[in-house]
């Protein structure tokens, strides 16, 4: 198999939704609620946040969808670029934060060896 993930996979959307209808309905309700246009946070900011999260979760479909939505909401190239680097910094910061836990676990494991 040459590709693991491809836009052709979208053909399975209804298959997935229909295979777990109750869970799919709950997910779609959450998705529609989070992506509503009448919230306190303006839609452009919602989409920029969605782009940042999609970049960190590395969901190709989410990135594509939310970039398109952000453009429709008026996001600029510069806003997308800043969003990319903000997401990158936070993801790197998460590694440092969990690195603190790794150091503690190392110390604990090392102490148990003695």
């Amino acid at each position: 198999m040459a590709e693991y993930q491809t836009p052709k996979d979208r053909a399975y959307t209804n298959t997935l939704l229909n295979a777990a209808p109750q869970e799919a309905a709950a997910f779609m309700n959450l998705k529609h609620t989070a992506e509503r246009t009448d919230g306190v946070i303006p839609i452009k900011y919602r989409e920029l946040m969605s782009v940042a999260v999609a970049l960190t979760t590395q969901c190709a479909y989410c990135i594509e969808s939310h970039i398109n939505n952000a453009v429709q909401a008026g996001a600029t190239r510069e806003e997308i670029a800043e969003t990319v680097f903000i997401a990158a910094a936070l993801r790197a910061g998460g590694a440092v934060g969990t690195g603190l836990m790794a150091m503690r676990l190392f110390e604990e494991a090392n102490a148990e060896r003695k």
Side-chain angles (χ1 to χ4, degrees), residues 66-106:
H66 291 292
I67 289 289
N68 288 333
N69 291 347
V71 168
Q72 291 298 315
T76 65
R77 174 180 286 110
E78 294 78 12
E79 288 171 325
I80 297 297
E82 286 186 17
T83 298
V84 168
F85 287 108
I86 290 167
L90 290 173
R91 180 134 181 158
V96 172
T98 54
L100 299 173
M101 179 185 67
M103 296 305 295
R104 176 181 53 81
L105 293 171
F106 171 82

Side-chain angles (χ1 to χ4, degrees), residues 24-38:
F27 171 77
M28 294 305 286
N29 183 53
L30 175 61
K31 181 181 179 331
H32 291 302
T33 300
E35 294 176 355
R36 71 186 197 276
T37 59
D38 63 344

